[in-house]
Amino acid sequence: MRLTSARSSELGHQPTSVSVSALMLTILAVAVLRLAGISLAFPQGSGSFPDEVSYATLAEILARAGDWAGWNGGEGATLVPGSLSLLAPASVFVNVGVSPLVAVRLTSVLFSVVAQMTFLAILMSLAPDGEERNSRRLTLKSWRFVALTVMVLFPSAFFWTSLGLKDSIVISTSLLAVLACMRIREGLGRWSSIVWAFVLVVSLIVQLLSRAYVLIALVAAIGIYGVWCSTATIRRYRFSIRSWRAAALVATSTLIVLAGVCISASTSRGDSSLAGSVFTSIGAQSPLQHLDALPGIRERAARLGASGFIIEICSGQPAPRSAACEVVRLPQALGTVVARPIWPLDDMSRWSPTWARLALLAQMDTILWCSLLSLAFALICFRRTLSRPLSALALTYLGLTWLGMALTEGNLGTLMRHRLILLWPLCLLVALAGTSRKESHREAVTTPRDPHEF
């Protein structure tokens, strides 16, 4: 009788849900609003952020096969060829008649849409208790819907539409790598596994061309995910062939990427061709090159002195080129990644008129970052996770990327848009929140065991 009442109660109170098609249309509508909003705020691109004009100019030079190596205008002149190659999609739009500035903004927003669609696909693959896996609808009153809303509407995504081209590419390929690992683990078929393995390798190559610490974080996260899944599968199915294939794929991809980093770091720079320059520039993105460059960066920051822009400066007595400098500044730098700029510590009106216009929005954005981080860790502590391997993946990526940003970021302006790459692991941790740990423990203790259950 009690079971019948419970079932009728559940049938009578179906949770409100929304279809995947409606969510996809919403994501596209938000993308259009982003393009329109940034165009109204900065119609010409000039007088706002130098990087935006630099990206547009470089995209036009690449599209016209100009002398990009001799170009020396704007902040984009510091881009190494490996990073410069990420502007190739924008140059394609320039070739078909789109203005360079619009091409850069459009490319950034399109990759953001790819990231959000991929995140939606990951959410639909999760199976909360009582819901059908791969359902075509998403419950509104759920942590998965909260995570998707944050992913699509987080203010940083609107602020840096024009400047976040590189970050949008990094986020989208990182999420594609996560989705590829999930699909490979499911074992949908030989050809499907080959396609997703190709997606995984391409995603790792993009990270290799972007930032070394992102590559390290993603490879480590995927490795932990593969090992965790393989261990669980082996225990359940007694040496399942599927799990060994997934582990072998992850191990092979990791070895290929690490070998590429080592080879590129030791390759001479005598080749002057574009392909050779792109290949050898990967050495500048390798972890060893980054570590070698850190003392010089610290010394330059010490010469410039503390300001609203510079965050790489040691406080106290340690010399800027010493290991003690890194030990002293690292805790403060870790807090800076998510907690600055904030009033009254940062008076952004002294930076530039453009920053003065965005000061209030940027400081509110920092508060939201701290709130999202607190929410994610509170859910980890007080709720069960829907997938331990995915939670381990998100935490590993979040921790290593956070550490990499604290070590390598040089100024707050760059940091504010680069920390967008921390958004997807935080949203994934929110989406993985399941039932309360106390309720789960209480049900396990009070539920009587069926005497006929084996």
Side-chain angles (χ1 to χ4, degrees), residues 408-451:
T408 60
E409 295 297 340
N411 63 79
L412 287 178
T414 303
L415 172 65
M416 277 187 283
R417 68 176 189 268
H418 282 183
R419 67 184 175 191
L420 275 174
I421 59 179
L422 299 178
L423 182 61
W424 74 261
L426 288 173
C427 290
L428 183 58
L429 290 173
V430 173
L432 289 170
T435 57
S436 170
R437 293 183 184 274
K438 291 183 178 180
E439 293 180 359
S440 302
H441 178 71
R442 188 181 301 113
E443 291 177 0
V445 173
T446 58
T447 301
R449 185 178 180 85
D450 188 352

Side-chain angles (χ1 to χ4, degrees), residues 25 42 55 59 65 89 138 152 176 266 276 322 324 326 331 333 350 363 377 388 425-426:
L25 290 175
F42 304 109
Y55 285 164
L138 187 65
V152 175
L176 283 171
S266 60
S322 65
E326 302 300 328
R350 297 187 296 107
Q363 290 165 352
F377 282 101
R388 290 185 178 180
L426 288 173

Side-chain angles (χ1 to χ4, degrees), residues 250-270:
V250 172
T252 303
S253 303
T254 303
L255 291 176
I256 291 174
V257 171
L258 293 179
V261 171
C262 296
I263 292 173
S264 62
S266 60
T267 303
S268 64
R269 296 179 179 270

Side-chain angles (χ1 to χ4, degrees), residues 94-379:
V94 174
N95 276 326
V96 298
V98 179
S99 69
L101 184 60
V102 175
V104 169
R105 292 171 175 173
L106 182 60
T107 304
S108 176
V109 172
L110 284 179
F111 274 101
S112 295
V113 170
V114 172
Q116 292 162 7
M117 295 289 190
T118 306
F119 188 70
L120 176 60
I122 293 174
L123 296 186
M124 303 314 295
S125 299
L126 302 176
D129 296 338
E131 293 189 18
E132 182 182 357
R133 190 179 182 187
N134 291 318
S135 171
R136 302 302 300 171
R137 303 186 69 84
L138 187 65
T139 304
L140 290 179
K141 293 183 178 180
S142 65
W143 289 113
R144 291 191 299 166
F145 185 78
V146 171
L148 180 63
T149 303
V150 173
M151 184 74 182
V152 175
L153 299 179
F154 203 76
S156 293
F158 286 85
F159 292 168
W160 312 122
T161 293
S162 56
L163 296 173
L165 183 147
K166 186 175 179 180
D167 303 292
S168 298
I169 295 176
V170 169
I171 296 170
S172 59
T173 51
S174 298
L175 284 168
L176 283 171
V178 174
L179 183 61
C181 292
M182 296 175 65
R183 292 291 184 260
I184 293 171
R185 182 197 176 193
E186 292 174 359
L188 300 178
R190 177 182 300 177
W191 291 108
S192 178
S193 298
I194 292 175
V195 170
W196 285 112
F198 177 77
V199 172
L200 176 59
V201 172
V202 170
S203 299
L204 295 178
I205 292 174
V206 172
Q207 312 306 323
L208 185 63
L209 294 173
S210 57
R211 302 187 187 98
Y213 62 83
V214 176
L215 174 65
I216 295 172
L218 187 60
V219 169
I222 290 175
I224 287 179
Y225 176 82
V227 171
W228 198 306
C229 292
S230 300
T231 303
T233 307
I234 290 172
R235 288 177 178 177
R236 177 175 294 183
Y237 296 108
R238 302 281 185 178
F239 301 95
S240 169
I241 296 178
R242 185 192 309 169
S243 63
W244 282 113
R245 287 177 179 174
L249 176 62
V250 172
T252 303
S253 303
T254 303
L255 291 176
I256 291 174
V257 171
L258 293 179
V261 171
C262 296
I263 292 173
S264 62
S266 60
T267 303
S268 64
R269 296 179 179 270
D271 190 354
S272 59
S273 65
L274 177 59
S277 299
V278 170
F279 179 77
T280 55
S281 71
I282 296 174
Q285 303 285 350
S286 68
L288 295 179
Q289 293 286 342
H290 270 301
L291 291 176
D292 292 339
L294 282 182
I297 294 174
R298 302 289 181 259
E299 190 173 20
R300 185 177 69 251
R303 288 197 306 269
L304 293 174
S307 69
F309 291 97
I310 301 299
I311 64 173
E312 293 179 335
I313 186 168
C314 298
S315 59
Q317 299 300 321
R321 298 179 66 92
S322 65
C325 166
E326 302 300 328
V327 175
V328 169
R329 68 170 296 280
L330 188 56
Q332 180 181 357
L334 288 171
T336 297
V337 171
V338 294
R340 290 183 66 187
I342 192 168
W343 185 88
L345 184 62
D346 299 299
D347 183 9
M348 299 175 65
S349 62
R350 297 187 296 107
W351 297 6
S352 70
T354 301
W355 282 116
R357 290 168 54 189
L358 296 176
L360 179 61
L361 294 177
Q363 290 165 352
M364 291 176 60
D365 186 63
T366 298
I367 296 175
L368 291 176
W369 271 108
C370 295
S371 301
L372 179 60
L373 186 66
S374 301
L375 174 63
F377 282 101
L379 292 175

